[in-house]
């Protein structure tokens, strides 16, 4: 019987999309869930696509490293987007845990704020829901992060991407 490998990125996307929908489903009584069709807002909760931005190797020292990336909305309409950072472990391990790195985001107040990281099959990731914003037509979103490896030796890849919502 042939086996099929599911790319970690696809698995993380699926888990993130299901996590976004889970609170709505968990609060719906079972009888109502079975008799009513899903609402448009529940379907819109998951991203419709991702724009992958350039990735870099995970730093091997314990110094803070800045990550800056930009995304421009060249569409004639506004878009709902969410920036996301993924830290991919090597395919065959060892897998990184959230305690291995510290990820901070530069806030509007000019201070660095620690971001919690989720973990799924060797991938650390930032949450999409709190990061959702409306990016106006022909405007650019620039995000600034600071990543520090806390436990050496750590190996992996730092990937930036933008989730696009319908």
């Amino acid at each position: 019987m042939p086996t099929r490998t599911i790319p970690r990125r696809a698995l993380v996307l699926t888990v993130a999309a299901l996590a976004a929908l889970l609170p709505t489903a968990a609060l719906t009584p079972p009888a109502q869930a079975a008799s009513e069709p899903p609402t448009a807002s529940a379907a819109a909760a998951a991203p419709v696509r991702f724009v992958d931005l350039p990735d870099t190797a995970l730093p091997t020292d314990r110094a803070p490293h800045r990550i800056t990336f930009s995304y421009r909305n060249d569409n004639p309409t506004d878009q709902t987007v969410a920036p996301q950072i993924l830290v991919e472990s090597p395919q065959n391990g060892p897998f990184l845990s959230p305690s291995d790195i510290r990820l901070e985001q530069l806030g509007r107040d000019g201070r660095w704020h620690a971001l919690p990281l989720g973990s799924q099959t060797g991938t650390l990731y930032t949450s999409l829901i709190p990061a959702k914003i409306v990016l106006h037509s022909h405007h650019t979103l620039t995000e600034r992060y600071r990543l520090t490896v806390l436990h050496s030796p750590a190996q992996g890849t730092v990937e930036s991407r933008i989730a696009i919502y319908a």
Side-chain angles (χ1 to χ4, degrees):
M1 169 187 251
T3 60
R4 185 173 157 204
T5 303
I6 299 173
R8 273 192 271 173
R9 219 180 234 182
L11 187 57
V12 169
L13 170 61
T14 303
V15 169
L18 289 174
L21 296 175
L22 182 61
T24 303
L27 296 176
T28 305
Q32 184 181 5
S35 64
E36 292 183 9
T39 63
S41 63
V48 294
R49 69 183 175 95
F50 285 91
V51 176
D52 292 326
L53 303 171
D55 56 349
T56 60
L58 184 66
T60 56
D61 59 4
R62 293 184 182 196
H65 293 267
R66 291 189 180 211
I67 301 168
T68 301
F69 64 85
S70 296
Y71 172 75
R72 180 169 172 79
N73 178 7
D74 288 325
N75 291 316
T77 59
D78 294 349
Q79 284 184 326
T80 300
V81 300
Q84 186 175 44
I85 298 286
L86 302 173
V87 181
E88 296 270 352
S89 297
Q91 281 291 88
N92 297 322
F95 292 150
L96 295 165
S97 73
S99 64
D100 291 331
I101 67 170
R102 179 175 55 236
L103 184 65
E104 301 165 289
Q105 183 177 27
L106 186 61
R108 287 187 169 86
D109 61 359
R111 296 173 51 187
W112 292 102
H113 302 277
L115 292 175
L117 294 170
S119 178
Q120 182 71 34
T121 62
T123 301
L124 305 178
Y125 58 92
T126 57
S127 180
L128 290 172
I129 301 304
K132 283 172 76 171
I133 63 164
V134 174
L135 184 60
H136 297 294
S137 175
H138 303 291
H139 284 140
T140 301
L141 169 69
T142 300
E143 291 292 313
R144 291 173 181 83
Y145 297 90
R146 186 167 64 183
L147 177 87
T148 307
V149 175
L150 301 174
H151 299 103
S152 295
Q155 296 178 347
T157 305
V158 180
E159 301 174 14
S160 308
R161 66 185 187 174
I162 300 291
I164 309 293
Y165 293 82

